[in-house]
Amino acid sequence: MTTDNDVHDVAALRDAMVHELREQGAIQSEPVAAAFAAVPRHLFTPGESLEVAYGVDNAPIVKRDDNGLTLSSVSAPHLQAVMLEAAEIKPGMRVCEVGSGGYNAALMAELVGDSGRVTTVDIDPDIVERAGAFLHEAGYDHVQVMLADAERGVPEAAPFDRIIVTAGSWDIPPAWIEQLGGDGRIVVPLRMKGTTRWIAFDRESAGGLVSRDYGLCVFVPFQGAGSHTERTVAIEDGVVLRWDDEDLKVDRDALRRALHLPRLERWSGAVFDMPDEQALFLLTNEADMALLHADQEAIDHDLVARPALRGVPVLINGDSFAYRAARPNEDMSSGYESGVYAHGPSAGTLAARYAELLRQWADKYHRRGAASIRYLPKAATPPAPSAGVLPKRHGTVVVTWP
Ligand SMILES: C[S@@+](CC[C@H](N)C(=O)[O-])C[C@H]1O[C@@H](n2cnc3c(N)ncnc32)[C@H](O)[C@@H]1O
């Protein structure tokens, strides 16, 4: 039973959420603010407290697989706001959401208004049922909820002005581009070199897509025909390398031996800042880059340094590897200087290569959104291979640093 107090709490929490999202810069426009103020998020997160439901960074988990991997969650308001702003959804538009939960589709329904149309599609019958029931309860019966593998898009409801994908995708299925109208935009969390960026892509005249904005994000994996398994190799207990590319050669035994050799430390003299932007630069400017992850125990034993706790770009060369470090330095604009830790017989050479990249980033690209990302469908002529050219199943992602 809902009491007057609950109603008051919900209104206050919703206002506070909108306020905080504005303060953070996640909400930038009045229509997006109005949508967040209108939709009762707690109706889409039953079983969670009101505080959890309205926390800007909370993404309540809805379903896990047998190994504990999250298959579905209600995305965090912060990320939803950023992606909706990037989508620039206008009244009257036809919008497709890939991956349902109900809440985000309701926000979209507010944005398109009575003259627009929202279709949300999920591969999981349980999620489709939940989303449909919640949308009904919240008064958004006009949102179309469909059960399908979105690898094929939703031809029944196409074309779309906007496609917003809410599962981490390794590629862009041809159907999404085909089902996008002339001035259409796709906002998609795309996996590149083991990390995911949401990217707002506009259509290019040649049939491809070009980015207008992007940012770091974490999403549950895209399932079904378009799923893709990244590669992981444990070089020691709790120390794992992750990468996407088919052709990165990793000599696990040699790297394990290197890990137990003394750690070389080199400082770049360049600023450490915006680690996600810097990471994208590193990963797309050296072919032999992967991600190094270490668990707390490996860090406590000083096997690997702290930056690896959240994953850090690692340059690998046969029997040696080098990864990013940071230390306080008051001469730097951020208060931190970037550097390198390296192990193995070629540690010195690798560290020098890595430090040079850190200096290049600091000199030329020390800002948000410095990369340009294009998606070229299979039919287009692929560019010459380089670290920023990422072959996918249906096309090629090209990351350049203009
Ligand atoms: C993060 S949840 C979606 C959250 C939702 N957009 C919201 O309102 O917050 C991601 C969803 O993507 C779905 N999904 C994964 N792969 C899919 C596929 N190939 N086709 C359709 N849905 C898929 C999952 O079942 C999961 O429910």
Side-chain angles (χ1 to χ4, degrees):
M1 196 181 79
T2 311
T3 66
D4 285 353
N5 275 350
D6 290 342
V7 171
H8 176 76
D9 284 356
V10 166
L13 284 167
R14 215 183 310 167
D15 285 352
M17 175 181 75
V18 173
H19 179 77
E20 198 175 340
L21 290 172
R22 279 188 195 267
E23 293 272 292
Q24 294 177 337
I27 290 183
Q28 295 185 353
S29 68
E30 290 314 312
V32 172
F36 275 89
V39 182
R41 181 169 162 97
H42 63 286
L43 295 185
F44 299 86
T45 59
E48 305 290 348
S49 69
L50 291 176
E51 282 72 20
V52 168
Y54 286 97
V56 295
D57 293 320
N58 291 343
I61 293 172
V62 176
K63 193 169 190 178
R64 295 180 195 266
D65 72 4
D66 294 341
N67 298 317
L69 178 78
T70 304
L71 293 179
S72 190
S73 60
V74 183
S75 301
H78 177 89
L79 186 52
Q80 289 174 322
V82 167
M83 288 175 67
L84 288 175
E85 289 288 6
E88 293 186 303
I89 296 171
K90 302 272 187 301
M93 282 187 168
R94 292 150 304 170
V95 180
C96 175
E97 181 193 39
V98 171
S100 310
Y103 179 63
N104 201 36
L107 295 171
M108 293 171 181
E110 291 288 336
L111 290 167
V112 301
D114 290 342
S115 55
R117 195 183 61 203
V118 176
T119 303
T120 181
V121 57
D122 204 287
I123 197 169
D124 185 328
D126 296 341
I127 301 299
V128 169
E129 197 185 320
R130 273 174 64 104
F134 297 158
L135 283 163
H136 172 70
E137 193 188 344
Y140 295 93
D141 275 317
H142 51 299
V143 171
Q144 186 183 22
V145 189
M146 297 190 58
L147 174 65
D149 182 343
E151 176 78 1
R152 58 182 271 282
V154 189
E156 304 85 339
F160 300 107
D161 300 298
R162 298 289 184 263
I163 298 176
I164 318 288
V165 184
T166 65
S169 184
W170 183 71
D171 198 358
I172 299 190
W176 297 357
I177 302 179
E178 283 158 22
Q179 291 170 24
L180 203 59
D183 294 329
R185 184 175 301 169
I186 299 183
V187 184
V188 54
L190 192 64
R191 240 183 50 225
M192 298 174 291
K193 295 244 175 180
T195 66
T196 305
R197 301 285 180 293
W198 63 261
I199 307 173
F201 277 121
D202 283 343
R203 254 180 183 290
E204 274 191 311
S205 48
L209 303 168
V210 62
S211 68
R212 43 181 305 127
D213 202 0
Y214 64 85
L216 187 69
C217 62
V218 177
F219 267 97
V220 304
F222 193 70
Q223 305 168 45
S227 66
H228 183 270
T229 312
E230 66 184 357
R231 309 221 165 171
T232 58
V233 164
I235 56 171
E236 191 51 279
D237 281 352
V239 184
V240 175
L241 297 173
R242 289 174 41 205
W243 73 98
D244 278 330
D245 308 81
E246 308 298 319
D247 54 355
L248 184 68
K249 302 276 181 291
V250 171
D251 182 341
R252 169 196 169 135
D253 293 336
L255 294 179
R256 178 180 295 140
R257 281 194 297 276
L259 183 63
H260 293 282
L261 292 174
R263 185 188 299 158
L264 180 91
E265 201 176 296
R266 290 278 183 275
W267 296 99
S268 68
V271 67
F272 175 82
D273 201 4
M274 303 175 190
D276 54 319
E277 291 285 341
Q278 201 186 40
L280 186 63
F281 179 78
L282 294 166
L283 290 164
T284 56
N285 279 281
E286 267 287 354
D288 301 331
M289 283 274 185
L291 289 172
L292 174 71
H293 284 261
D295 67 13
Q296 189 65 53
E297 209 177 324
I299 285 164
D300 290 344
H301 285 103
D302 202 28
L303 208 51
V304 181
R306 182 154 299 278
L309 194 58
R310 290 178 165 205
V312 69
V314 57
L315 181 59
I316 301 169
N317 186 0
D319 54 8
S320 305
F321 64 95
Y323 61 100
R324 185 178 64 186
R327 68 175 178 185
N329 182 333
E330 286 178 3
D331 295 337
M332 302 289 147
S333 56
S334 68
Y336 288 89
E337 178 186 359
S338 61
V340 193
Y341 296 130
H343 292 258
S346 321
T349 318
L350 274 193
R353 244 166 87 190
Y354 205 117
E356 183 49 36
L357 285 172
L358 293 170
R359 282 189 287 272
Q360 265 180 39
W361 179 80
D363 278 356
K364 294 195 197 148
Y365 306 110
H366 178 195
R367 60 185 184 278
R368 294 234 158 257
S372 170
I373 307 169
R374 293 174 68 213
Y375 185 84
L376 306 177
K378 221 105 251 141
T381 315
S386 81
V389 173
L390 315 176
K392 302 281 176 175
R393 209 173 280 150
H394 302 296
T396 312
V397 173
V398 185
V399 185
T400 51
W401 296 84

